[in-house]
């Protein structure tokens, strides 16, 4: 039926530079996104696959292109609350395809198609659409209708991605104001164990998943629709360490699901028992010993951070599903959490972050700290950062 093989065994596969026929999104391409929209039963034409713009076979070998994957779903039991979780499954299912590598989520996706799979006939979005519709409807019977559109036309991608950003934002807004103290349950996710076998994500009311795609409401919705799926509920249990913010039930679940690799998470610390990271983080918090403070860098930041290392190098140190003291991967929305690294001092401990991230975090940074956190516009290396911190009276 398919021109290439499909199954979970291909999930951890990477497609390296030089091996890809075509790629979509990634750091070189600013216009890219994927979006799932739940619609009414009469608004979705089941099985419809459309391609707007060039198809895979029409693209030059080795090229990088914009892409928008627009998925519409309908079902009597489907709710709009599930959109974020369903959208995250694109990552899982597309990685089932032999020779396709998918990384990231929302408007940060990166997809590569291996030359070998292209040669086997995987030369059209038609095939990928078919596979995705079959997998989604087989795995999640609540989806009764599904259509998918692949858009590679730059202007169209740009327009749709801008709209999608508004949707992501409204999902993120929902969780604002909700506190860990107010809920009875947290959620876990192990979707990324195919890449990082001992990694477990814990999602609380004040900690969005590190991929940024799953917040507390998404976790709740996911558990309702697919109790056997990659996301699961965790009763909040007892706060065994109020400073470190560590819960007994969370720790038990982390120990079980990480096969004993990690036995404790301090949910809001990068320094002691930090949350592990797979590789999907939207941003990385990294400790800078010279100033006893943190740097934060997001995936889109181009060039070297204040320590001289670019995002990619730091990502290598932070990822892999192991607990790495001094490093923690985060979703960008976590910057707005009232518990943002609270066990380590929160923003009082932040020394450097890119100016665009600082702008996003602004409302959550204590006013007196705002000018005391350096950006790429203020300093270029650790010596300059040290001087900056001294001037700000922080060292
Ligand atoms: Fe799940 Fe975490 Fe992976 Fe996101 S990063 S898909 S929450 S395991
Ligand atoms: Zn991941």
């Amino acid at each position: 039926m398919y021109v290439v093989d499909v199954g979970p065994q291909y999930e951890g596969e990477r497609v390296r530079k030089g091996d890809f026929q075509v790629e979509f999104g990634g750091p070189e391409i600013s216009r890219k996104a994927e979006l799932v929209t739940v619609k009414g039963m009469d608004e979705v034409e089941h099985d419809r696959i459309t391609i707007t713009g060039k198809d895979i076979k029409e693209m030059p070998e080795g090229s990088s292109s914009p892409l928008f994957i627009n998925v519409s779903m309908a079902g009597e039991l489907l709710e709009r609350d599930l959109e974020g979780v369903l959208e995250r499954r694109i990552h899982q299912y597309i990685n089932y395809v032999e020779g396709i590598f998918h990384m990231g989520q929302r408007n940060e996706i990166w997809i590569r198609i291996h030359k070998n799979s292209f040669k086997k006939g995987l030369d059209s979005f038609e095939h990928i659409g078919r596979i995705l519709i079959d997998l989604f409807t087989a795995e999640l019977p609540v989806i009764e209708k599904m259509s998918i559109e692949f858009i590679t036309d730059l202007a169209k991608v740009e327009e749709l991605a801008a709209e999608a950003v508004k949707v992501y934002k409204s999902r993120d807004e929902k969780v604002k104001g909700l506190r860990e103290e107010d809920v009875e349950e947290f959620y876990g996710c192990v979707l990324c164990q195919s890449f990082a076998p001992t990694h477990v994500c814990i999602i609380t009311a004040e900690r969005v998943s590190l991929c940024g795609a799953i917040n507390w409401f998404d976790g709740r919705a996911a558990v309702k629709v697919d109790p056997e799926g990659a996301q699961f509920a965790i009763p909040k249990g007892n706060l065994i360490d109020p400073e470190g913010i560590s819960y007994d039930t969370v720790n038990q679940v982390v120990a079980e699901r990480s096969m004993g690799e990690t036995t404790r998470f301090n949910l809001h610390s990068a320094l002691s028992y930090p949350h592990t990271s797979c590789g999907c983080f939207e941003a990385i918090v990294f400790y800078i010993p010279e100033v006893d403070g943190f740097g934060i860098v997001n995936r889109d930041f181009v060039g070297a951070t204040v320590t001289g290392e670019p995002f990619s190098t730091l990502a290598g140190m932070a990822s892999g599903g192991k607990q790495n003291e001094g490093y923690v991967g985060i979703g960008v929305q976590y910057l707005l959490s009232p518990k943002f690294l609270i066990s380590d001092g929160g923003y009082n401990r932040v020394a450097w972050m890119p100016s665009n991230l600082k702008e996003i975090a602004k409302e959550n940074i204590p006013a007196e700290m705002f000018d005391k956190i350096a950006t790429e516009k203020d300093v270029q290396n650790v010596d300059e950062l040290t001087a900056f911190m001294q001037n700000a009276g922080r060292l």
Side-chain angles (χ1 to χ4, degrees):
M1 180 171 56
Y2 300 132
V3 289
V4 289
D5 215 6
V6 177
Q9 67 273 25
Y10 296 109
E11 247 194 310
E13 210 190 13
R14 311 234 161 207
V15 178
R16 305 199 183 276
K17 211 183 162 101
D19 289 339
F20 67 82
Q21 174 70 25
V22 287
E23 73 170 357
F24 302 95
E28 311 286 320
I29 302 287
S30 59
R31 307 285 179 249
K32 69 244 176 180
E34 58 193 21
L35 184 73
V36 168
T37 312
V38 171
K39 296 183 176 166
M41 284 294 273
D42 49 4
E43 290 173 301
V44 181
E45 190 186 327
H46 185 50
D47 264 347
R48 187 180 159 90
I49 301 164
T50 31
I51 302 160
T52 306
K54 284 199 171 132
D55 198 358
I56 298 168
K57 55 183 160 243
E58 294 157 334
M59 296 175 167
E61 186 178 325
S63 60
S64 311
S65 306
L67 177 66
F68 191 91
I69 305 178
N70 203 8
V71 178
S72 301
M73 293 179 179
E76 292 300 340
L77 296 173
L78 273 191
E79 294 166 21
R80 292 212 61 183
D81 268 2
L82 279 167
E83 286 173 348
V85 174
L86 295 167
E87 201 171 281
R88 191 66 186 134
R89 295 256 177 144
I90 297 175
H91 168 72
Q92 182 181 8
Y93 296 148
I94 221 169
N95 275 318
Y96 279 10
V97 185
E98 176 189 1
I100 300 192
F101 166 70
H102 178 286
M103 200 165 101
Q105 58 286 318
R106 294 186 167 187
N107 55 343
E108 284 194 353
I109 54 170
W110 191 359
I111 300 172
R112 282 178 168 175
I113 299 177
H114 200 288
K115 281 179 188 160
N116 295 342
S117 291
F118 179 80
K119 285 191 197 113
K120 284 189 190 170
L122 189 72
D123 59 357
S124 172
F125 287 115
E126 189 69 40
H127 303 306
I128 301 173
R130 181 74 267 140
I131 293 168
L132 283 177
I133 292 176
D134 287 353
L135 280 172
F136 266 102
T137 52
E139 300 272 324
L140 298 162
V142 288
I143 302 166
E144 295 172 54
K145 290 181 166 184
M146 174 169 165
S147 68
I148 182 162
E149 186 183 7
F150 295 90
I151 301 120
T152 57
D153 175 75
L154 176 65
K156 195 90 203 289
V157 173
E158 191 161 1
E159 182 192 321
L160 288 167
E163 284 305 308
V165 167
K166 293 184 196 157
V167 177
Y168 307 142
K169 201 162 183 237
S170 70
R171 288 184 200 153
D172 295 339
E173 293 281 326
K174 258 178 75 179
V175 78
K176 271 195 189 157
L178 195 66
R179 308 294 303 261
E180 285 174 359
E181 291 76 7
D182 304 332
V183 300
E184 295 303 318
E185 267 183 358
F186 296 153
Y187 300 97
C189 180
V190 289
L191 197 63
C192 288
Q193 290 200 340
S194 46
F195 290 93
T198 56
H199 172 67
V200 185
C201 263
I202 301 295
I203 297 135
T204 80
E206 293 170 89
R207 190 179 203 289
V208 66
S209 67
L210 57 88
C211 60
I214 302 183
N215 66 29
W216 188 87
F217 283 101
D218 297 321
R220 190 178 67 168
V223 172
K224 252 201 281 176
V225 73
D226 186 11
E228 304 300 310
Q231 290 93 20
F232 46 89
I234 306 170
K236 198 168 67 174
N238 302 304
L239 188 60
I240 53 162
D241 176 359
E243 306 249 297
I245 311 187
S246 197
Y247 288 87
D248 54 0
T249 45
V250 170
N251 292 341
Q252 278 159 23
V253 169
V254 168
E256 262 164 51
R257 299 275 182 156
S258 71
M259 281 76 74
E261 172 76 31
T262 314
T263 53
R264 173 174 179 152
F265 272 177
N266 284 356
L267 291 172
H268 302 285
S269 174
L271 292 178
S272 70
Y273 303 103
H275 193 287
T276 56
S277 306
C278 44
C280 308
F281 33 70
E282 292 183 307
I284 303 168
V285 176
F286 54 100
Y287 183 65
I288 309 169
E290 293 87 340
V291 295
D292 184 33
F294 295 121
I296 308 174
V297 61
N298 53 321
R299 201 171 278 278
D300 287 343
F301 184 75
V302 179
T305 64
V306 69
T307 56
E309 285 135 347
F311 178 88
S312 54
T313 309
L314 293 164
M317 299 197 256
S319 61
K322 301 248 156 77
Q323 206 152 38
N324 300 311
E325 286 182 354
Y327 295 93
V328 68
I330 58 167
V332 166
Q333 285 301 310
Y334 181 59
L335 296 171
L336 295 168
S337 166
K339 290 214 170 55
F340 168 77
L341 295 183
I342 195 166
S343 303
D344 301 328
Y347 282 102
N348 293 326
R349 206 73 181 273
V350 175
W352 182 92
M353 63 202 292
S355 48
N356 71 332
L357 271 194
K358 198 170 154 186
E359 215 32 60
I360 291 171
K362 192 168 184 176
E363 62 187 86
N364 203 29
I365 300 178
E368 72 281 6
M369 280 309 295
F370 194 78
D371 293 332
K372 298 180 178 176
I373 298 172
T375 73
E376 79 283 9
K377 293 180 180 157
D378 303 308
V379 299
Q380 298 305 321
N381 53 49
V382 173
D383 285 345
E384 288 177 20
L385 179 63
T386 307
F388 179 97
M389 298 272 284
Q390 279 163 347
N391 273 338
R394 297 183 62 188
L395 283 180

